[in-house]
């Protein structure tokens, strides 16, 4: 009887592991079909470009639009760049804080350009902007006082060639129109490949700046000399600063101040649930040749950020639209409005940053003690709305320049060890009576199956099973 019970246990565990392997590599049969874009919710590429151009035309006193076209080795792209100067268009930006905000770097991340549309609309329409700020508890007075001191360069869609491929049916495409990842084509640690490098996801091109999208942005940044570079992506919900290509953040007061701003934004807009830290540490993999690292290391931009605005970690590997974009109108509106509000919260947090002398202090607090936490940008009666994280990982938090394992991750490890010990004790108790009690043997078998599934799930999520985790990570690559 004991031998029969033991065979049953071994068989059950093997069956559970095999079933988990199969389930982890393909969608279950009960999963609905792969999601496709709903263009009654999302704008097509042409509609994105039309909507942003229309807004710029409506507010021509504070907005101007330029189309830049570049051809390299037979491949051409045209990038729309919109200048926004809320205090009125001028030719001299030397006395203002200068921000470049880049959207749509990867084709499959359709939600990113939607935020560009909403941002331009709220910069153009004071009533809409004030309503948005009020909804998210951001000080209207602080933002209004600062807008006259800033100028934006907004790129609604960096990668129109890749977006066209997505709209043509290649819903998992992130690269440009000739198969190069624009965020691997910059000249910082270019061409380095990790052990799980996949050219279908992140081919860096033949050389740095081989791609016209990257060449246009690099030229723009050299001429404009931004204080802030913000790159807006999707795939998880997080806010990163450099570095992407190594597991550390830059040292110095500028990086410390940037990290403090991100932590404040996370607290006040994400309810503390967004992953915050250097991209290469927090996202779970290293990325080489990225715009973020180039802007920081080569151009000396003082405030460099990547925002990841949405991710569905439950989406299957092939279900890329679902993975990177909200499917419902409600989800779409929430993401677009909240991350648009985050841009204004960022502006409100910039005074006092050591890399932006043009905004030494908040105009409303001159002569008063200035809080480095920037908490004054939020009203106490802010709404309950929050960015709310679903999926994405990044179970590490940053305090100053030191990395610390997230307390929840530590609790999970402790709980896992406790459950492991408890299950072993239970198994020992069951085994003593298994030879005399078939019912007990059955219970033990079920317990072992449950335990195997539990451990498998924990191992898979925490990266212990490297091979399968690698497949998952590469499918969900976002940076």
């Amino acid at each position: 009887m004991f031998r029969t019970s033991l065979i049953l246990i071994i068989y059950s565990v093997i069956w559970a592991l095999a079933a988990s392997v199969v389930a982890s590599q393909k969608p279950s049969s009960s999963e609905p079909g792969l999601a496709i874009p709903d263009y009654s919710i999302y704008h097509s590429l042409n509609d994105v470009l039309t909507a942003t151009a229309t807004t710029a035309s409506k507010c021509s006193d504070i907005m101007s639009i330029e189309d830049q076209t570049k051809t390299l080795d037979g491949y051409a792209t045209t990038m729309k760049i919109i200048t926004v100067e809320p205090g009125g268009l001028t030719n001299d930006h030397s006395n203002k804080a200068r921000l470049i905000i880049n959207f749509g770097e990867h084709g499959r991340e359709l939600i990113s350009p939607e935020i560009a549309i909403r941002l331009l609309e709220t910069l153009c329409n004071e009533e809409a902007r004030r309503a948005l700020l009020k909804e998210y508890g951001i000080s209207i007075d602080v933002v209004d006082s600062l807008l006259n001191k800033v100028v934006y360069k907004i790129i609604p869609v960096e990668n129109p060639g890749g977006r066209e491929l997505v709209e043509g049916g290649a819903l998992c495409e992130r690269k440009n129109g000739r198969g190069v990842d624009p965020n691997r084509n910059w000249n910082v640690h270019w061409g380095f490949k990790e052990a799980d490098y996949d050219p279908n996801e992140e081919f860096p091109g033949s050389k740095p700046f081989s791609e016209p999208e990257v060449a246009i942005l690099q030229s723009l940044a050299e001429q404009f000399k931004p204080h802030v570079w913000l790159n807006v992506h999707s795939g998880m919900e997080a806010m990163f600063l450099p570095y992407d290509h190594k597991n550390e953040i830059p040292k110095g007061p500028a990086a410390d101040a940037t990290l403090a701003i991100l932590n404040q934004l996370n607290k006040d807009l994400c309810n503390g649930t967004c992953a915050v830290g250097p991209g290469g540490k927090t996202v779970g993999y290293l990325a080489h040749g990225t715009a973020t690292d180039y802007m920081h290391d080569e151009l000396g931009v003082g405030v460099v950020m990547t925002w990841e605005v949405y991710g569905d970690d439950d989406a299957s590997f092939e279900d890329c639209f679902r993975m990177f974009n909200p499917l419902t109108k409600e989800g779409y509106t929430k993401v677009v409005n909240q991350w648009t509000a985050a841009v204004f919260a960022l502006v409100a947090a910039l005074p006092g940053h050591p890399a932006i002398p043009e905004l030494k202090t908040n105009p409303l607090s001159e002569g008063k003690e200035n809080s480095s936490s920037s908490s004054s940008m939020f009203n106490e009666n802010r709404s309950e709305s929050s960015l709310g994280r679903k999926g994405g990982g990044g179970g590490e938090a940053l305090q100053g320049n030191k990395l610390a394992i997230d307390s929840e991750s530590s609790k999970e490890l402790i709980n896992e060890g406790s459950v492991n010990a408890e299950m072993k004790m239970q198994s020992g108790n069951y085994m003593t009576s298994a030879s005399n009690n078939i019912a007990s043997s059955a219970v033990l078998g079920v317990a072992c199956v449950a335990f195997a599934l539990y451990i498998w799930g924990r191992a898979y999520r925490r990266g212990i099973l490297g091979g399968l985790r690698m497949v998952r990570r590469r499918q969900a690559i976002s940076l």
Side-chain angles (χ1 to χ4, degrees):
M1 192 70 68
F2 175 80
R3 181 178 299 176
T4 302
S5 301
L6 183 61
I7 293 173
L8 174 62
I9 293 168
I10 295 173
Y11 176 81
S12 298
V13 171
I14 294 174
W15 176 87
L17 292 176
S20 298
V21 171
V22 173
S24 70
Q25 299 189 61
K26 67 179 183 179
S28 68
S29 59
S30 61
E31 182 177 336
L34 302 183
I36 61 175
D38 181 350
Y39 289 111
S40 69
I41 300 175
Y42 286 85
H43 295 75
S44 67
L45 172 62
N46 287 337
D47 288 343
V48 170
L49 300 178
T50 299
T52 52
T54 299
T55 300
S57 298
K58 286 180 180 178
C59 287
S60 57
D61 57 327
I62 64 169
M63 297 185 183
S64 64
I65 190 166
E66 175 187 6
D67 288 339
Q68 287 198 19
T69 300
K70 192 171 188 65
T71 302
L72 290 176
D73 297 327
Y75 174 68
T77 194
T78 298
M79 189 180 300
K80 193 174 295 294
I81 303 171
I82 300 176
T83 301
V84 183
E85 196 168 2
L89 291 174
T90 66
N91 293 322
D92 182 10
H93 304 144
S94 60
N95 63 339
K96 294 189 175 183
R98 301 176 293 277
L99 297 84
I100 296 180
I101 307 182
N102 187 47
F103 299 90
E105 185 167 47
H106 294 136
R108 63 192 178 192
E109 300 166 16
L110 272 69
I111 191 64
S112 173
E114 301 296 327
I115 299 170
I117 295 173
R118 180 69 170 138
L119 176 60
L120 288 166
E121 289 173 348
T122 51
L123 285 167
C124 178
N125 187 319
E126 182 179 359
E127 183 178 353
R129 180 173 68 252
R130 285 173 167 251
L132 183 70
L133 296 178
K134 182 178 180 180
E135 179 183 356
Y136 291 97
I138 301 168
S139 172
I140 295 173
D141 291 339
V142 169
V143 171
D144 284 350
S145 67
L146 289 170
L147 285 179
N148 289 332
K149 296 176 177 281
V150 302
V151 57
Y152 302 86
K153 296 285 186 178
I154 295 174
I155 298 93
V157 184
E158 177 195 332
N159 178 14
R163 176 62 181 265
E164 288 175 349
L165 293 175
V166 170
E167 293 187 7
L171 297 179
C172 288
E173 185 58 72
R174 73 182 243 123
K175 304 184 299 298
N176 70 2
R178 67 170 168 190
V180 176
D181 185 346
N183 208 29
R184 298 294 184 272
N185 194 235
W186 295 81
N187 194 24
V188 169
H189 227 241
W190 175 87
F192 285 79
K193 299 176 177 65
E194 296 297 310
D196 55 355
Y197 163 75
D198 180 1
N200 293 320
E201 283 282 283
E202 49 183 341
F203 178 61
S206 58
K207 60 183 178 181
F209 306 119
S210 64
E211 303 312 296
E213 300 90 350
V214 178
I216 291 173
L217 283 181
Q218 192 260 354
S219 177
L220 171 67
E222 283 195 338
Q223 296 173 25
F224 187 58
K225 295 179 172 53
H227 299 96
V228 177
W229 162 265
L230 172 58
N231 207 356
V232 180
H233 287 262
S234 64
M236 60 186 296
E237 288 168 12
M239 292 180 283
F240 302 139
L241 71 166
Y243 288 103
D244 293 335
H245 74 278
K246 53 185 176 180
N247 295 335
E248 62 184 69
I249 65 174
K251 294 179 174 61
D256 291 345
T258 299
L259 180 58
I261 289 174
L262 291 180
N263 282 328
Q264 188 67 40
L265 292 175
N266 180 36
K267 175 183 176 182
D268 291 301
L269 288 171
C270 289
N271 281 345
T273 61
C274 284
V276 175
K281 181 73 175 180
T282 313
V283 78
Y285 57 89
L286 299 181
H288 306 277
T290 68
T292 288
D293 288 356
Y294 182 87
M295 294 294 173
H296 180 272
D297 278 9
E298 297 298 320
L299 295 189
V301 179
V303 182
V304 180
M305 299 178 176
T306 300
W307 289 359
E308 300 276 352
V309 302
Y310 177 83
D312 185 344
D313 200 42
D314 294 326
S316 67
F317 305 151
E318 298 87 354
D319 205 354
C320 289
F321 184 76
R322 187 188 309 271
M323 186 180 294
F324 291 93
N325 308 280
L327 300 185
T328 66
K329 180 65 174 178
E330 180 183 14
Y332 165 96
T333 301
K334 180 180 178 182
V335 171
V336 168
N337 285 347
Q338 290 169 333
W339 286 95
T340 300
V343 174
F344 291 107
L346 169 62
V347 171
L350 291 177
H353 194 290
I356 312 178
E358 290 78 2
L359 295 177
K360 290 181 180 178
T361 59
N362 187 320
L364 296 182
S365 61
E366 291 179 354
K368 301 178 182 179
E369 184 177 353
N370 212 19
S371 171
S372 61
S373 70
S374 305
S375 60
S376 61
M377 67 187 175
F378 293 96
N379 298 327
E380 292 301 320
N381 61 347
R382 65 186 293 265
S383 74
E384 292 300 317
S385 300
S386 66
L387 291 177
R389 182 173 170 215
K390 183 177 187 297
E396 300 200 352
L398 284 155
Q399 300 296 333
N401 271 343
K402 297 179 181 179
L403 294 172
I405 299 298
D406 186 282
S407 61
E408 291 301 319
S409 297
S410 299
K411 290 177 184 177
E412 287 180 6
L413 286 172
I414 294 170
N415 291 338
E416 186 173 325
S418 300
V419 171
N420 190 4
E422 181 181 351
M423 292 301 295
K424 285 182 178 179
M425 184 180 299
Q426 291 176 354
S427 295
N429 292 336
Y430 286 135
M431 288 296 290
T432 59
S433 60
S435 59
N436 299 319
N437 194 320
I438 297 176
S440 296
S441 299
V443 171
L444 179 58
V446 171
C448 286
V449 170
F451 178 64
L453 290 172
Y454 173 81
I455 295 300
W456 178 271
R458 286 288 185 189
Y460 179 75
R461 284 194 297 273
R462 302 189 65 82
I464 296 171
L465 298 174
L468 292 176
R469 179 64 172 172
M470 183 187 303
V471 173
R472 177 64 173 178
R473 197 271 284 176
R474 281 304 175 192
Q475 183 62 30
I477 191 171
S478 54
L479 272 181

